[in-house]
């Protein structure tokens, strides 16, 4: 695990063997995905069968959860980790289209306090390092199967936005697993997509959750925005506590397309938004 803080830092989690020597965990349990929370306090690292939560200040492993061999065989191996906006819960997406919902419980008492009384030590503190670490527990909540599979997902304030694999569509779920039918949109209904049969491979959003950036399986990149129209004359139903009764539409533009570009481009494989400086970065397979 690497943290970019001016100077390289490498932190690894190891297991102790029966003979007292340290060894790595399962050979096939290598990292497959890493993502940070919106505020940058936590980083989630996903392997094929486990999820670890790291603190960034100070750099430390807070909690880890591992799935049994049976659940890996039945639900598939881990492929993506998605935090909600405040970092209090996350969802693990598997390659068989399952969503595993977890909550993070933070103990108000600090589990470890870093404090050096002597002023002669050589440890250099980073901002926030003196606050110590909070005891953290990962609690499994539920598993939910998406029949059409999950290509990618992004966590928002009140919802988890998915792109399905079969009959590619945008599917909105609450963080309790409830489907928002009003916000479910087929990619075929989005006129700005160059090829609606291509599923999305990555989705991300800015800090305000009003601008989205996508990449598709053909290597294109898009900027998109949700346009919602709420009917003021429609009374809310008893079942609409988590989602409003609104008609959702999308607007967007393709700004990175191999076929339409005058210069030679490589297929886009990753994308990120810098909200502070209003920048979008596109990574390719080169």
């Amino acid at each position: 695990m690497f943290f970019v803080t001016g100077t390289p830092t490498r932190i690894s989690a190891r297991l102790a063997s029966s003979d007292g020597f340290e060894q790595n965990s399962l050979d096939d349990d290598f990292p497959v995905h890493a993502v940070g929370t919106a505020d940058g306090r936590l980083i989630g690292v996903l392997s094929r069968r486990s999820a670890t939560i790291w603190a960034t200040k100070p750099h430390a492993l807070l909690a880890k959860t591992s799935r049994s061999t049976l659940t890996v065989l039945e639900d598939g191996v881990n492929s993506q980790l998605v935090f909600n906006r405040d970092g209090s819960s996350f969802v693990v997406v598997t390659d068989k289209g399952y969503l595993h919902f977890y909550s993070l419980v933070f103990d108000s008492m600090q589990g470890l306090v870093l404090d050096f009384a002597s002023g002669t030590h050589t440890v250099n503190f980073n901002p926030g390092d003196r606050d110590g670490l909070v005891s953290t527990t990962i609690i499994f909540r539920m598993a939910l199967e998406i029949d059409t599979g999950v290509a990618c997902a992004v966590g928002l304030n009140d919802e988890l936005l998915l792109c399905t694999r079969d009959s590619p569509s945008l599917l909105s779920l609450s963080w309790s697993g409830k489907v928002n039918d009003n916000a479910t949109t087929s990619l075929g209904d989005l006129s700005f997509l160059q090829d609606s049969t291509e599923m999305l491979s990555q989705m991300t959003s800015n800090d305000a959750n009003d601008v989205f950036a996508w990449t598709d399986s053909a290597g294109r990149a898009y900027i998109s925005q949700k346009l919602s129209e709420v009917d003021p004359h429609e009374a809310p139903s008893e079942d609409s506590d988590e989602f409003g009764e609104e008609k959702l539409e999308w607007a967007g533009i393709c700004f990175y397309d191999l076929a339409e570009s005058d210069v030679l481009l490589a297929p886009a494989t990753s994308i990120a938004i810098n909200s502070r400086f209003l920048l979008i970065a596109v990574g390719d397979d080169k």
Side-chain angles (χ1 to χ4, degrees), residues 129-187:
D129 281 3
R130 284 188 179 272
D131 295 336
L133 297 176
V134 177
S135 177
T136 307
T137 304
I138 300 176
I139 299 178
F140 175 76
R141 288 164 45 202
M142 66 175 181
L144 180 66
E145 181 183 9
I146 305 298
D147 295 335
T148 51
V150 179
C152 59
V154 60
L156 308 178
N157 289 330
D158 301 319
E159 63 179 321
L160 177 67
L161 188 64
L162 312 174
C163 180
T164 59
R165 291 185 178 275
D166 300 332
S167 302
S169 301
L170 295 176
L171 179 64
S172 174
L173 299 173
S174 72
W175 287 98
S176 61
K178 180 180 178 181
V179 178
N180 180 10
D181 294 328
N182 294 325
T184 298
T185 306
S186 172
L187 296 190

Side-chain angles (χ1 to χ4, degrees), residues 54-95:
W54 297 75
T56 56
K57 293 182 179 181
H59 304 152
L61 176 61
L62 297 180
K64 178 179 180 178
T65 180
S66 298
R67 297 169 52 201
S68 66
T69 302
L70 180 60
T71 63
V72 172
L73 294 176
E74 291 180 347
D75 297 355
V77 297
N78 301 333
S79 62
Q80 184 182 3
L81 187 149
V82 183
F83 281 108
N84 67 346
R85 296 299 293 184
D86 63 4
S88 62
S89 62
F90 64 90
V91 169
V92 172
V93 182
T94 74
D95 63 349

Side-chain angles (χ1 to χ4, degrees), residues 99-277:
L99 304 176
H100 290 186
F101 290 76
Y102 297 87
S103 294
L104 289 175
V105 177
F106 302 98
D107 194 337
S108 59
M109 296 182 62
Q110 294 178 346
L112 174 63
V113 177
L114 301 180
D115 187 15
F116 296 90
S118 172
T120 60
H121 63 81
T122 59
V123 175
N124 294 321
F125 284 106
N126 292 317
D129 281 3
R130 284 188 179 272
D131 295 336
L133 297 176
V134 177
S135 177
T136 307
T137 304
I138 300 176
I139 299 178
F140 175 76
R141 288 164 45 202
M142 66 175 181
L144 180 66
E145 181 183 9
I146 305 298
D147 295 335
T148 51
V150 179
C152 59
V154 60
L156 308 178
N157 289 330
D158 301 319
E159 63 179 321
L160 177 67
L161 188 64
L162 312 174
C163 180
T164 59
R165 291 185 178 275
D166 300 332
S167 302
S169 301
L170 295 176
L171 179 64
S172 174
L173 299 173
S174 72
W175 287 98
S176 61
K178 180 180 178 181
V179 178
N180 180 10
D181 294 328
N182 294 325
T184 298
T185 306
S186 172
L187 296 190
D189 296 333
L190 304 182
S191 59
F192 61 90
L193 294 182
Q194 300 296 311
D195 186 354
S196 59
T197 63
E198 299 284 355
M199 65 184 179
L200 302 182
S201 57
Q202 184 185 358
M203 296 188 293
T204 187
S205 67
N206 66 343
D207 292 342
N209 287 335
D210 57 2
V211 175
F212 294 81
W214 303 341
T215 59
D216 65 13
S217 55
R220 304 182 187 92
Y222 297 87
I223 301 175
S224 61
Q225 204 167 22
K226 289 196 297 185
L227 306 176
S228 301
E229 297 180 359
V230 180
D231 187 355
H233 302 290
E234 185 173 359
S237 64
E238 296 179 356
D239 298 331
S240 61
D241 296 335
E242 298 177 74
F243 293 112
E245 298 297 333
E246 59 184 19
K247 299 177 181 179
L248 182 62
E249 296 182 354
W250 288 86
I253 186 174
C254 178
F255 69 93
Y256 188 96
D257 189 352
L258 283 66
E260 301 295 333
S261 177
D262 296 332
V263 297
L264 183 61
L265 297 177
T269 56
S270 61
I271 194 166
I273 297 178
N274 185 313
S275 300
R276 180 178 180 182
F277 297 105

